[in-house]
Amino acid sequence: MSITDTDTDTVSWNPKALDEILSNDEGRPVVFTNARILTMDPLIGAMVGADILFVGSLIVGVGPGIVTAAEDDNAIVVDCTGMTIVPAVVDTVALAGGRGRRSEYVATLTPGNTTDFLVVPDELADDVPSAVATLLARPEQVRALVAAGRPVLWAGTDAADRATAPETGNPAAPDLTGSPRVGVWIDQKDFLHQELTADGRYDETRGGRPHAYQGRYWIDGDRIDYLDDLGFWAYGEFRGDELHHASYVMKLG
């Protein structure tokens, strides 16, 4: 992304704080201070002249006066005067009034939630949708986009060492020879036998019917995604020594 020479306010936005955040290997707290914060949390609401405090990927405080302890805690301070902070992950159902309980709200700027937020000038953030629209249409005006506590954008440009999205499309299956997750997984009722092979293929036997479903699979952390040869997608989750898939709970046979 490029920034014009005349956009000096964006270029010079808190460069020292960015350097400190990027080199923060000691778990120092970070405070974005003196901002208008639209939390999207129906209990906390919106605040002016407020702070958001996070440690790593976790929000630990939101509201006015947090910055007063910054020196005591050796916190990194980011001055957000004239800025609005909104969730970077937007719950459109909540925006439309479709959440019946506060606990159902997704990705609000609430203590205990993941540190995903967007910082834009007040004049570009009348509300959460307009702030997000700024990110999409005028990213050079974004002061900060933070994901899990790490800057993605800063002062309108890509932050150093930022995370990048995986390439679209189906990746080649890695060689899983020796992986402890390769083998035949069997559900508690002995109905489903799901064989995961080292070449990234699966083959299911259901109720004694062989090859009921076959296809490719990919493992990312504890998640497994299936692409069946019939064309549909499914997923599962490894939980300890169990593989949970649809309503089945399986263990290696």
Side-chain angles (χ1 to χ4, degrees), residues 7-38:
D7 198 3
T8 54
D9 289 343
T10 302
V11 171
S12 62
W13 196 76
N14 286 299
K16 182 176 181 292
L18 172 63
D19 291 341
E20 289 185 286
I21 294 172
L22 292 177
S23 61
N24 183 18
D25 298 325
E26 302 173 356
R28 293 172 61 192
V30 182
V31 182
F32 280 60
T33 185
N34 199 33
R36 173 174 168 254
I37 301 178
L38 309 181

Side-chain angles (χ1 to χ4, degrees), residues 1-158:
M1 299 175 188
S2 61
I3 303 177
T4 64
D5 292 337
T6 58
D7 198 3
T8 54
D9 289 343
T10 302
V11 171
S12 62
W13 196 76
N14 286 299
K16 182 176 181 292
L18 172 63
D19 291 341
E20 289 185 286
I21 294 172
L22 292 177
S23 61
N24 183 18
D25 298 325
E26 302 173 356
R28 293 172 61 192
V30 182
V31 182
F32 280 60
T33 185
N34 199 33
R36 173 174 168 254
I37 301 178
L38 309 181
T39 69
M40 285 295 297
D41 184 308
L43 177 63
I44 299 174
M47 294 171 285
V48 177
D51 313 325
I52 182 166
L53 169 69
F54 61 93
V55 178
S57 62
L58 188 69
I59 297 172
V60 295
V62 178
I66 296 175
V67 73
T68 58
E71 185 175 349
D72 295 338
D73 299 335
N74 191 30
I76 299 167
V77 178
V78 184
D79 182 15
C80 294
T81 301
M83 299 293 150
T84 293
I85 299 177
V86 304
V89 179
V90 179
D91 187 346
T92 56
V93 175
L95 282 172
R99 300 287 188 202
R101 299 173 58 89
R102 176 176 177 251
S103 60
E104 297 173 349
Y105 278 58
V106 176
T108 58
L109 298 183
T110 306
N113 281 358
T114 303
T115 309
D116 293 336
F117 63 83
L118 179 65
V119 183
V120 298
D122 289 341
E123 61 270 20
L124 299 176
D126 288 340
D127 50 26
V128 173
S130 61
V132 173
T134 298
L135 172 64
L136 299 177
R138 302 175 63 185
E140 71 280 358
Q141 293 296 325
V142 170
R143 297 313 195 257
L145 172 62
V146 176
R150 297 290 294 178
V152 175
L153 297 177
W154 196 276
T157 61
D158 290 344

